[in-house]
Amino acid sequence: MKPLAKTSIEAKFATAREVVQSMPESLTISTFETVEQVESVVPSWNELLKNVPEATTFSTWEWLLPWWRAFGKGQLVVVGFYSGFELVGLAPLCITESTLRFGIRMKVVRLLGDGSGDSDNLEVLARPGWEEKVSRSLLIFLESSRSKWDVVELNVMPAQSSVARRLTSDLNRRGWMSMTRSKPASAIHLPASWPAYLQQLSSEDRNNLARYRKRLEKRYASRFYKVTTQPEVDRCLPAMFELHQQRWQRRGESGTFADPARRQLYADISRIFLERGWLELWALDLNERPVAVQFAFRYRDQVFQLQEGFDEAYHSDRVGTLLRAHVLERLIAQGVTTYDFLGGEPGYKARWAAKPAEYMNLHIARRRTFGGLYLSIMKNAVNGKERLRKALPAPAWDFLHHINVNLTGKNNTALAVDRSRSSV
């Protein structure tokens, strides 16, 4: 192996373990396994993000570092793919020992940010035109590190991910096992004006928005506002935690913000995103008290709605609905093109003109290995489950699913995070 030469930037992480391949179809691969090493490559990472049109907040170090500090376990492995000294691809990964289905414990490679239920749109980044080489080089890296993992789980990747599509074809050529599943998502594609957006709603919903707003202004001293200072963050973020928790505690569930690590994550990203101009934390005060709060963030011309809470004592005043309408009107005026609800079935979101979308979960293992056996069992189980779902009437399927949840304890924190995101 030929050692990788250092530029002035790379010299900062001279201790990083490097894997350099001589195969003509591969790129030079460098791995960064500590926070300090990763921080050294952040300038190149940011430059790469500028050149990836589909990149989102979830691929930034500003999101992933706070997430790692809150939830990270195991080994951090950020893999950089270089053409010469130019970073043309990046795979933010980690390796953890995890208990998977059937109580099987294995070493799992995951995208950084996955596992807590807080991240969507996770991605292996590649400059346009470099997707094929990044895909092949990632598989070369995984092969070179095969003693360190059993299964690779690349979850909640965008369904249109160019690298993910390349990976599936490259895996077939290598003879590796893979399993692909989709996960529902939804987003509103915003038009150029508020009147044009209103035309996408039903006449009943349009009329109700106007009626609810007038009624609210008659009953209370109301204020809709975007949080723009740290003192406002310190006031509104705990209010969102409390309002969100109240809703789920009334249902006999702990709620996602019972976890101190998640509270810390939101506090950390709020501070960072506020500095970057990315924070979209909006609130509605009635009589000088916050009764609805929505937590989102912006990247380029997209806004990602992550969590929210509203005071159910004001449910009849439709405070959550009115706050969302206010936010959408302001975002449209600012030229935002997408309001992304992230993961979950469209459900009530369709009333806001949200269109269904999908994420891709791509699971990988090598044949004739422990991980390969596990993935084979999972594929058979999933295929059998799908056949059963199609064969049974919907009520019977729902009943069996309810029993399975109670018996297996699948109603875990990660699922609670997904289920409890947008709820008004």
Side-chain angles (χ1 to χ4, degrees):
M1 289 188 178
K2 181 181 176 182
L4 180 66
K6 302 291 189 298
T7 65
S8 58
I9 294 177
E10 274 79 20
K12 295 180 180 178
F13 46 82
T15 59
R17 181 173 62 86
E18 293 161 352
V19 180
V20 183
Q21 304 295 337
S22 58
M23 296 182 185
E25 74 272 17
S26 72
L27 300 165
T28 299
I29 303 170
S30 291
T31 61
F32 311 97
E33 299 179 348
T34 68
V35 169
E36 292 73 23
Q37 289 172 3
V38 174
E39 286 175 337
S40 300
V41 82
V42 165
S44 298
W45 187 333
N46 289 337
E47 189 63 27
L48 175 61
L49 286 169
K50 292 178 185 178
N51 291 278
V52 179
E54 62 269 24
T56 71
T57 318
F58 296 103
S59 291
T60 67
W61 190 231
E62 287 87 347
W63 170 267
L64 294 174
L65 176 58
W67 181 91
W68 177 253
R69 287 175 171 161
F71 295 109
K73 293 183 287 187
Q75 176 63 56
L76 179 67
V77 187
V78 174
V79 188
F81 304 99
Y82 289 84
S83 174
F85 296 111
E86 180 184 20
L87 184 68
V88 296
L90 193 81
L93 305 172
C94 58
I95 304 176
T96 61
E97 193 167 337
S98 303
T99 301
L100 303 181
R101 293 291 299 273
F102 316 117
I104 297 173
R105 193 156 185 83
M106 282 193 286
K107 293 174 288 186
V108 183
V109 176
R110 288 193 174 95
L111 287 164
L112 195 59
D114 181 36
S116 69
D118 298 275
S119 305
D120 288 317
N121 276 300
L122 298 177
E123 180 67 291
V124 176
L125 300 171
R127 281 179 181 259
W130 290 94
E131 296 89 351
E132 184 174 0
K133 284 196 172 183
V134 168
S135 170
R136 292 181 179 178
S137 299
L138 175 57
L139 294 181
I140 288 171
F141 167 76
L142 292 172
E143 177 65 31
S144 71
S145 308
R146 60 186 178 276
S147 63
K148 297 188 176 182
W149 59 271
D150 299 303
V151 174
V152 179
E153 294 189 353
L154 305 179
N155 292 325
V156 292
M157 301 179 75
Q160 69 277 13
S161 167
S162 53
V163 174
R165 289 198 299 269
R166 292 286 185 179
L167 278 171
T168 53
S169 60
D170 289 340
L171 285 165
N172 291 333
R173 281 197 294 269
R174 281 180 169 266
W176 288 19
M177 297 186 63
S178 65
M179 181 174 73
T180 303
R181 299 194 70 190
S182 61
K183 175 182 175 181
S186 62
I188 307 172
H189 304 292
L190 299 174
S193 70
W194 178 243
Y197 171 71
L198 288 177
Q199 290 305 308
Q200 298 182 22
L201 308 183
S202 69
S203 58
E204 179 184 6
D205 286 336
R206 289 197 302 271
N207 293 334
N208 282 340
L209 286 178
R211 181 166 62 89
Y212 294 152
R213 182 66 181 262
K214 288 179 181 178
R215 188 177 68 183
L216 190 80
E217 292 171 350
K218 287 181 180 179
R219 291 181 175 181
Y220 311 98
S222 60
R223 181 169 77 102
F224 296 85
Y225 59 99
K226 178 182 175 179
V227 169
T228 58
T229 67
Q230 189 60 49
E232 287 180 325
V233 171
D234 296 339
R235 174 176 180 264
C236 290
L237 194 60
M240 187 194 74
F241 294 159
E242 181 180 353
L243 293 171
H244 190 282
Q245 289 298 99
Q246 287 176 3
R247 178 178 177 84
W248 293 100
Q249 287 167 356
R250 287 192 185 97
R251 300 182 180 188
E253 300 185 35
S254 61
T256 185
F257 290 113
D259 186 351
R262 183 160 289 107
R263 289 177 179 249
Q264 188 59 52
L265 170 64
Y266 276 67
D268 289 345
I269 61 174
S270 293
R271 175 181 51 79
I272 297 170
F273 289 4
L274 183 64
E275 293 173 357
R276 299 290 189 275
W278 298 350
L279 185 64
E280 295 288 342
L281 180 57
W282 292 79
L284 166 60
D285 285 4
L286 297 184
N287 299 334
E288 300 184 349
R289 189 174 72 84
V291 297
V293 184
Q294 294 185 5
F295 186 98
F297 41 79
R298 183 186 305 207
Y299 197 76
R300 297 171 182 162
D301 59 354
Q302 300 180 79
V303 166
F304 302 92
Q305 170 62 38
L306 196 61
Q307 285 286 8
E308 60 190 10
F310 69 95
D311 192 333
E312 291 196 340
Y314 295 89
H315 179 75
S316 63
D317 294 302
R318 303 297 194 271
V319 290
T321 297
L322 289 174
L323 178 57
R324 192 184 315 285
H326 176 86
V327 171
L328 288 172
E329 184 175 8
R330 293 297 183 269
L331 295 179
I332 289 171
Q334 295 166 15
V336 173
T337 62
T338 305
Y339 183 88
D340 198 330
F341 283 108
L342 301 172
E345 297 286 351
Y348 79 91
K349 303 165 195 172
R351 297 187 66 175
W352 293 95
K355 303 300 181 184
E358 287 185 346
Y359 294 128
M360 175 194 298
N361 291 349
L362 175 61
H363 294 184
I364 302 167
R366 291 163 291 120
R367 294 188 185 277
R368 295 184 294 277
T369 65
F370 182 41
L373 175 62
Y374 169 79
L375 196 57
S376 177
I377 294 171
M378 285 300 301
K379 289 182 74 170
N380 289 332
V382 168
N383 292 338
K385 180 179 176 181
E386 291 303 318
R387 286 193 294 268
L388 184 61
R389 184 201 295 264
K390 292 176 182 178
L392 287 176
W397 171 259
D398 290 342
F399 177 70
L400 288 176
H401 176 69
H402 176 73
I403 292 174
N404 182 58
V405 166
N406 289 330
L407 290 177
T408 62
K410 287 174 64 179
N411 190 17
N412 57 22
T413 301
L415 292 176
V417 172
D418 283 342
R419 187 176 59 249
S420 62
R421 277 182 176 166
S422 300
S423 53
V424 292

